[in-house]
PDB file of all heavy atoms in Angstrom:
ATOM      1  N   PHE R   1       5.521  -7.914  -5.157  1.00  0.00           N
ATOM      2  CA  PHE R   1       6.458  -6.792  -5.163  1.00  0.00           C
ATOM      3  C   PHE R   1       7.895  -7.316  -5.087  1.00  0.00           C
ATOM      4  O   PHE R   1       8.190  -8.242  -4.330  1.00  0.00           O
ATOM      5  CB  PHE R   1       6.227  -5.888  -3.951  1.00  0.00           C
ATOM      6  CG  PHE R   1       5.033  -4.996  -4.056  1.00  0.00           C
ATOM      7  CD1 PHE R   1       3.802  -5.411  -3.567  1.00  0.00           C
ATOM      8  CD2 PHE R   1       5.132  -3.743  -4.630  1.00  0.00           C
ATOM      9  CE1 PHE R   1       2.697  -4.578  -3.639  1.00  0.00           C
ATOM     10  CE2 PHE R   1       4.032  -2.901  -4.705  1.00  0.00           C
ATOM     11  CZ  PHE R   1       2.814  -3.321  -4.212  1.00  0.00           C
ATOM     12  N   SER R   2       8.786  -6.732  -5.864  1.00  0.00           N
ATOM     13  CA  SER R   2      10.214  -7.032  -5.729  1.00  0.00           C
ATOM     14  C   SER R   2      11.000  -5.747  -5.924  1.00  0.00           C
ATOM     15  O   SER R   2      10.621  -4.877  -6.708  1.00  0.00           O
ATOM     16  CB  SER R   2      10.653  -8.102  -6.729  1.00  0.00           C
ATOM     17  OG  SER R   2      10.616  -7.595  -8.038  1.00  0.00           O
ATOM     18  N   GLY R   3      12.091  -5.611  -5.161  1.00  0.00           N
ATOM     19  CA  GLY R   3      12.918  -4.418  -5.215  1.00  0.00           C
ATOM     20  C   GLY R   3      13.412  -4.071  -3.827  1.00  0.00           C
ATOM     21  O   GLY R   3      13.085  -4.737  -2.851  1.00  0.00           O
ATOM     22  N   ASN R   4      14.181  -3.014  -3.722  1.00  0.00           N
ATOM     23  CA  ASN R   4      14.787  -2.595  -2.459  1.00  0.00           C
ATOM     24  C   ASN R   4      13.889  -1.566  -1.774  1.00  0.00           C
ATOM     25  O   ASN R   4      14.120  -0.358  -1.870  1.00  0.00           O
ATOM     26  CB  ASN R   4      16.189  -2.033  -2.717  1.00  0.00           C
ATOM     27  CG  ASN R   4      16.970  -1.851  -1.436  1.00  0.00           C
ATOM     28  OD1 ASN R   4      16.515  -2.199  -0.355  1.00  0.00           O
ATOM     29  ND2 ASN R   4      18.156  -1.286  -1.559  1.00  0.00           N
ATOM     30  N   PHE R   5      12.859  -2.062  -1.075  1.00  0.00           N
ATOM     31  CA  PHE R   5      11.906  -1.190  -0.398  1.00  0.00           C
ATOM     32  C   PHE R   5      12.385  -0.872   1.012  1.00  0.00           C
ATOM     33  O   PHE R   5      13.060  -1.676   1.646  1.00  0.00           O
ATOM     34  CB  PHE R   5      10.526  -1.842  -0.356  1.00  0.00           C
ATOM     35  CG  PHE R   5       9.933  -2.062  -1.716  1.00  0.00           C
ATOM     36  CD1 PHE R   5       9.937  -3.312  -2.301  1.00  0.00           C
ATOM     37  CD2 PHE R   5       9.392  -1.003  -2.426  1.00  0.00           C
ATOM     38  CE1 PHE R   5       9.399  -3.525  -3.556  1.00  0.00           C
ATOM     39  CE2 PHE R   5       8.849  -1.193  -3.684  1.00  0.00           C
ATOM     40  CZ  PHE R   5       8.858  -2.452  -4.254  1.00  0.00           C
ATOM     41  N   LEU R   6      12.001   0.298   1.511  1.00  0.00           N
ATOM     42  CA  LEU R   6      12.420   0.761   2.838  1.00  0.00           C
ATOM     43  C   LEU R   6      11.213   0.949   3.749  1.00  0.00           C
ATOM     44  O   LEU R   6      10.243   1.601   3.371  1.00  0.00           O
ATOM     45  CB  LEU R   6      13.140   2.105   2.735  1.00  0.00           C
ATOM     46  CG  LEU R   6      14.409   2.168   1.902  1.00  0.00           C
ATOM     47  CD1 LEU R   6      14.845   3.616   1.740  1.00  0.00           C
ATOM     48  CD2 LEU R   6      15.500   1.365   2.570  1.00  0.00           C
ATOM     49  N   GLY R   7      11.277   0.411   4.958  1.00  0.00           N
ATOM     50  CA  GLY R   7      10.276   0.700   5.986  1.00  0.00           C
ATOM     51  C   GLY R   7       8.860   0.334   5.600  1.00  0.00           C
ATOM     52  O   GLY R   7       8.609  -0.488   4.716  1.00  0.00           O
ATOM     53  N   ASP R   8       7.932   0.974   6.300  1.00  0.00           N
ATOM     54  CA  ASP R   8       6.513   0.706   6.114  1.00  0.00           C
ATOM     55  C   ASP R   8       5.906   1.666   5.091  1.00  0.00           C
ATOM     56  O   ASP R   8       6.400   2.774   4.896  1.00  0.00           O
ATOM     57  CB  ASP R   8       5.767   0.850   7.436  1.00  0.00           C
ATOM     58  CG  ASP R   8       6.189  -0.200   8.456  1.00  0.00           C
ATOM     59  OD1 ASP R   8       6.572  -1.308   8.029  1.00  0.00           O
ATOM     60  OD2 ASP R   8       6.149   0.098   9.664  1.00  0.00           O
ATOM     61  N   ALA R   9       4.816   1.234   4.506  1.00  0.00           N
ATOM     62  CA  ALA R   9       4.090   2.079   3.553  1.00  0.00           C
ATOM     63  C   ALA R   9       3.252   3.101   4.306  1.00  0.00           C
ATOM     64  O   ALA R   9       2.940   2.926   5.492  1.00  0.00           O
ATOM     65  CB  ALA R   9       3.199   1.209   2.675  1.00  0.00           C
ATOM     66  N   THR R  10       2.890   4.159   3.620  1.00  0.00           N
ATOM     67  CA  THR R  10       1.922   5.115   4.147  1.00  0.00           C
ATOM     68  C   THR R  10       0.681   5.047   3.259  1.00  0.00           C
ATOM     69  O   THR R  10       0.760   4.682   2.089  1.00  0.00           O
ATOM     70  CB  THR R  10       2.483   6.553   4.174  1.00  0.00           C
ATOM     71  OG1 THR R  10       2.876   6.920   2.847  1.00  0.00           O
ATOM     72  CG2 THR R  10       3.680   6.648   5.108  1.00  0.00           C
ATOM     73  N   TYR R  11      -0.458   5.407   3.830  1.00  0.00           N
ATOM     74  CA  TYR R  11      -1.734   5.235   3.145  1.00  0.00           C
ATOM     75  C   TYR R  11      -2.531   6.525   3.155  1.00  0.00           C
ATOM     76  O   TYR R  11      -2.439   7.317   4.079  1.00  0.00           O
ATOM     77  CB  TYR R  11      -2.580   4.157   3.829  1.00  0.00           C
ATOM     78  CG  TYR R  11      -1.839   2.894   4.139  1.00  0.00           C
ATOM     79  CD1 TYR R  11      -1.375   2.633   5.420  1.00  0.00           C
ATOM     80  CD2 TYR R  11      -1.592   1.956   3.147  1.00  0.00           C
ATOM     81  CE1 TYR R  11      -0.689   1.469   5.715  1.00  0.00           C
ATOM     82  CE2 TYR R  11      -0.906   0.782   3.427  1.00  0.00           C
ATOM     83  CZ  TYR R  11      -0.458   0.548   4.715  1.00  0.00           C
ATOM     84  OH  TYR R  11       0.224  -0.602   4.997  1.00  0.00           O
ATOM     85  N   ALA R  12      -3.352   6.684   2.142  1.00  0.00           N
ATOM     86  CA  ALA R  12      -4.355   7.745   2.101  1.00  0.00           C
ATOM     87  C   ALA R  12      -5.636   7.117   1.570  1.00  0.00           C
ATOM     88  O   ALA R  12      -5.608   6.364   0.594  1.00  0.00           O
ATOM     89  CB  ALA R  12      -3.908   8.889   1.212  1.00  0.00           C
ATOM     90  N   GLY R  13      -6.743   7.392   2.219  1.00  0.00           N
ATOM     91  CA  GLY R  13      -8.030   6.876   1.760  1.00  0.00           C
ATOM     92  C   GLY R  13      -8.174   5.377   1.952  1.00  0.00           C
ATOM     93  O   GLY R  13      -7.763   4.822   2.971  1.00  0.00           O
ATOM     94  N   ASP R  14      -8.715   4.721   0.954  1.00  0.00           N
ATOM     95  CA  ASP R  14      -9.050   3.300   1.002  1.00  0.00           C
ATOM     96  C   ASP R  14      -7.866   2.458   0.520  1.00  0.00           C
ATOM     97  O   ASP R  14      -7.877   1.919  -0.582  1.00  0.00           O
ATOM     98  CB  ASP R  14     -10.287   3.061   0.137  1.00  0.00           C
ATOM     99  CG  ASP R  14     -10.870   1.662   0.301  1.00  0.00           C
ATOM    100  OD1 ASP R  14     -10.382   0.913   1.160  1.00  0.00           O
ATOM    101  OD2 ASP R  14     -11.814   1.346  -0.436  1.00  0.00           O
ATOM    102  N   ALA R  15      -6.811   2.356   1.353  1.00  0.00           N
ATOM    103  CA  ALA R  15      -5.604   1.604   0.990  1.00  0.00           C
ATOM    104  C   ALA R  15      -5.127   0.815   2.205  1.00  0.00           C
ATOM    105  O   ALA R  15      -5.138   1.327   3.325  1.00  0.00           O
ATOM    106  CB  ALA R  15      -4.511   2.552   0.517  1.00  0.00           C
ATOM    107  N   THR R  16      -4.707  -0.434   1.976  1.00  0.00           N
ATOM    108  CA  THR R  16      -4.193  -1.280   3.048  1.00  0.00           C
ATOM    109  C   THR R  16      -3.108  -2.190   2.492  1.00  0.00           C
ATOM    110  O   THR R  16      -2.964  -2.335   1.281  1.00  0.00           O
ATOM    111  CB  THR R  16      -5.296  -2.175   3.659  1.00  0.00           C
ATOM    112  OG1 THR R  16      -5.812  -3.027   2.624  1.00  0.00           O
ATOM    113  CG2 THR R  16      -6.419  -1.365   4.263  1.00  0.00           C
ATOM    114  N   GLY R  17      -2.357  -2.852   3.400  1.00  0.00           N
ATOM    115  CA  GLY R  17      -1.406  -3.871   3.004  1.00  0.00           C
ATOM    116  C   GLY R  17       0.034  -3.412   3.057  1.00  0.00           C
ATOM    117  O   GLY R  17       0.343  -2.289   3.472  1.00  0.00           O
ATOM    118  N   THR R  18       0.914  -4.321   2.626  1.00  0.00           N
ATOM    119  CA  THR R  18       2.350  -4.056   2.606  1.00  0.00           C
ATOM    120  C   THR R  18       2.931  -4.634   1.319  1.00  0.00           C
ATOM    121  O   THR R  18       2.276  -5.419   0.632  1.00  0.00           O
ATOM    122  CB  THR R  18       3.067  -4.717   3.801  1.00  0.00           C
ATOM    123  OG1 THR R  18       3.004  -6.145   3.644  1.00  0.00           O
ATOM    124  CG2 THR R  18       2.444  -4.325   5.130  1.00  0.00           C
ATOM    125  N   VAL R  19       4.193  -4.291   1.038  1.00  0.00           N
ATOM    126  CA  VAL R  19       4.845  -4.874  -0.132  1.00  0.00           C
ATOM    127  C   VAL R  19       5.145  -6.360   0.103  1.00  0.00           C
ATOM    128  O   VAL R  19       5.307  -7.112  -0.849  1.00  0.00           O
ATOM    129  CB  VAL R  19       6.134  -4.112  -0.513  1.00  0.00           C
ATOM    130  CG1 VAL R  19       5.807  -2.719  -1.008  1.00  0.00           C
ATOM    131  CG2 VAL R  19       7.130  -4.073   0.620  1.00  0.00           C
ATOM    132  N   THR R  20       5.199  -6.790   1.344  1.00  0.00           N
ATOM    133  CA  THR R  20       5.462  -8.196   1.666  1.00  0.00           C
ATOM    134  C   THR R  20       4.225  -9.060   1.474  1.00  0.00           C
ATOM    135  O   THR R  20       4.288 -10.133   0.870  1.00  0.00           O
ATOM    136  CB  THR R  20       5.965  -8.330   3.123  1.00  0.00           C
ATOM    137  OG1 THR R  20       7.095  -7.489   3.297  1.00  0.00           O
ATOM    138  CG2 THR R  20       6.338  -9.761   3.435  1.00  0.00           C
ATOM    139  N   THR R  21       3.085  -8.593   1.975  1.00  0.00           N
ATOM    140  CA  THR R  21       1.855  -9.386   1.929  1.00  0.00           C
ATOM    141  C   THR R  21       0.955  -9.038   0.754  1.00  0.00           C
ATOM    142  O   THR R  21       0.001  -9.748   0.475  1.00  0.00           O
ATOM    143  CB  THR R  21       1.058  -9.193   3.221  1.00  0.00           C
ATOM    144  OG1 THR R  21       0.691  -7.812   3.347  1.00  0.00           O
ATOM    145  CG2 THR R  21       1.856  -9.628   4.436  1.00  0.00           C
ATOM    146  N   GLY R  22       1.238  -7.930   0.086  1.00  0.00           N
ATOM    147  CA  GLY R  22       0.370  -7.446  -0.980  1.00  0.00           C
ATOM    148  C   GLY R  22      -0.483  -6.301  -0.470  1.00  0.00           C
ATOM    149  O   GLY R  22      -0.697  -6.153   0.738  1.00  0.00           O
ATOM    150  N   ALA R  23      -0.941  -5.472  -1.361  1.00  0.00           N
ATOM    151  CA  ALA R  23      -1.722  -4.293  -0.982  1.00  0.00           C
ATOM    152  C   ALA R  23      -3.021  -4.256  -1.760  1.00  0.00           C
ATOM    153  O   ALA R  23      -3.137  -4.835  -2.843  1.00  0.00           O
ATOM    154  CB  ALA R  23      -0.909  -3.028  -1.249  1.00  0.00           C
ATOM    155  N   ILE R  24      -3.991  -3.559  -1.182  1.00  0.00           N
ATOM    156  CA  ILE R  24      -5.298  -3.389  -1.819  1.00  0.00           C
ATOM    157  C   ILE R  24      -5.642  -1.911  -1.814  1.00  0.00           C
ATOM    158  O   ILE R  24      -5.549  -1.240  -0.794  1.00  0.00           O
ATOM    159  CB  ILE R  24      -6.386  -4.189  -1.081  1.00  0.00           C
ATOM    160  CG1 ILE R  24      -6.087  -5.687  -1.157  1.00  0.00           C
ATOM    161  CG2 ILE R  24      -7.758  -3.879  -1.664  1.00  0.00           C
ATOM    162  CD1 ILE R  24      -7.029  -6.549  -0.359  1.00  0.00           C
ATOM    163  N   LEU R  25      -6.017  -1.416  -2.982  1.00  0.00           N
ATOM    164  CA  LEU R  25      -6.494  -0.045  -3.129  1.00  0.00           C
ATOM    165  C   LEU R  25      -7.949  -0.092  -3.574  1.00  0.00           C
ATOM    166  O   LEU R  25      -8.264  -0.685  -4.604  1.00  0.00           O
ATOM    167  CB  LEU R  25      -5.681   0.708  -4.179  1.00  0.00           C
ATOM    168  CG  LEU R  25      -4.292   1.184  -3.790  1.00  0.00           C
ATOM    169  CD1 LEU R  25      -3.521   1.618  -5.028  1.00  0.00           C
ATOM    170  CD2 LEU R  25      -4.384   2.318  -2.804  1.00  0.00           C
ATOM    171  N   GLY R  26      -8.824   0.490  -2.779  1.00  0.00           N
ATOM    172  CA  GLY R  26     -10.221   0.618  -3.184  1.00  0.00           C
ATOM    173  C   GLY R  26     -10.455   2.006  -3.738  1.00  0.00           C
ATOM    174  O   GLY R  26      -9.559   2.858  -3.719  1.00  0.00           O
ATOM    175  N   ASN R  27     -11.650   2.258  -4.210  1.00  0.00           N
ATOM    176  CA  ASN R  27     -11.970   3.600  -4.703  1.00  0.00           C
ATOM    177  C   ASN R  27     -13.212   4.153  -4.020  1.00  0.00           C
ATOM    178  O   ASN R  27     -13.971   4.902  -4.602  1.00  0.00           O
ATOM    179  CB  ASN R  27     -12.121   3.613  -6.223  1.00  0.00           C
ATOM    180  CG  ASN R  27     -13.329   2.827  -6.692  1.00  0.00           C
ATOM    181  OD1 ASN R  27     -13.941   2.096  -5.919  1.00  0.00           O
ATOM    182  ND2 ASN R  27     -13.671   2.965  -7.949  1.00  0.00           N
ATOM    183  N   SER R  28     -13.406   3.770  -2.738  1.00  0.00           N
ATOM    184  CA  SER R  28     -14.592   4.218  -2.027  1.00  0.00           C
ATOM    185  C   SER R  28     -14.495   5.671  -1.571  1.00  0.00           C
ATOM    186  O   SER R  28     -15.492   6.275  -1.209  1.00  0.00           O
ATOM    187  CB  SER R  28     -14.852   3.312  -0.814  1.00  0.00           C
ATOM    188  OG  SER R  28     -13.768   3.386   0.093  1.00  0.00           O
ATOM    189  N   THR R  29     -13.269   6.225  -1.568  1.00  0.00           N
ATOM    190  CA  THR R  29     -13.111   7.641  -1.246  1.00  0.00           C
ATOM    191  C   THR R  29     -12.500   8.341  -2.462  1.00  0.00           C
ATOM    192  O   THR R  29     -12.059   7.687  -3.403  1.00  0.00           O
ATOM    193  CB  THR R  29     -12.191   7.836  -0.017  1.00  0.00           C
ATOM    194  OG1 THR R  29     -10.886   7.346  -0.341  1.00  0.00           O
ATOM    195  CG2 THR R  29     -12.727   7.100   1.192  1.00  0.00           C
ATOM    196  N   GLY R  30     -12.425   9.650  -2.431  1.00  0.00           N
ATOM    197  CA  GLY R  30     -11.921  10.403  -3.582  1.00  0.00           C
ATOM    198  C   GLY R  30     -10.444  10.212  -3.847  1.00  0.00           C
ATOM    199  O   GLY R  30     -10.013  10.111  -4.980  1.00  0.00           O
ATOM    200  N   GLU R  31      -9.617  10.169  -2.796  1.00  0.00           N
ATOM    201  CA  GLU R  31      -8.168  10.065  -2.946  1.00  0.00           C
ATOM    202  C   GLU R  31      -7.681   8.805  -2.243  1.00  0.00           C
ATOM    203  O   GLU R  31      -7.797   8.696  -1.018  1.00  0.00           O
ATOM    204  CB  GLU R  31      -7.478  11.294  -2.345  1.00  0.00           C
ATOM    205  CG  GLU R  31      -7.864  12.603  -3.009  1.00  0.00           C
ATOM    206  CD  GLU R  31      -7.262  12.742  -4.393  1.00  0.00           C
ATOM    207  OE1 GLU R  31      -6.111  12.321  -4.582  1.00  0.00           O
ATOM    208  OE2 GLU R  31      -7.951  13.252  -5.295  1.00  0.00           O
TER     209      GLU R  31
END
């Protein structure tokens, strides 16, 4: 990730990570 990001990320469902360390999105839930 590169750009002027603000604060922490928010998540819904199967999502983890940050713009600094990288993020993972699964599809184990509907959203």
Side-chain angles (χ1 to χ4, degrees):
F1 284 92
S2 69
N4 192 4
F5 297 102
L6 300 171
D8 295 330
T10 58
Y11 313 101
D14 190 6
T16 61
T18 67
V19 293
T20 305
T21 62
I24 297 175
L25 284 167
N27 67 348
S28 62
T29 63
E31 299 288 322

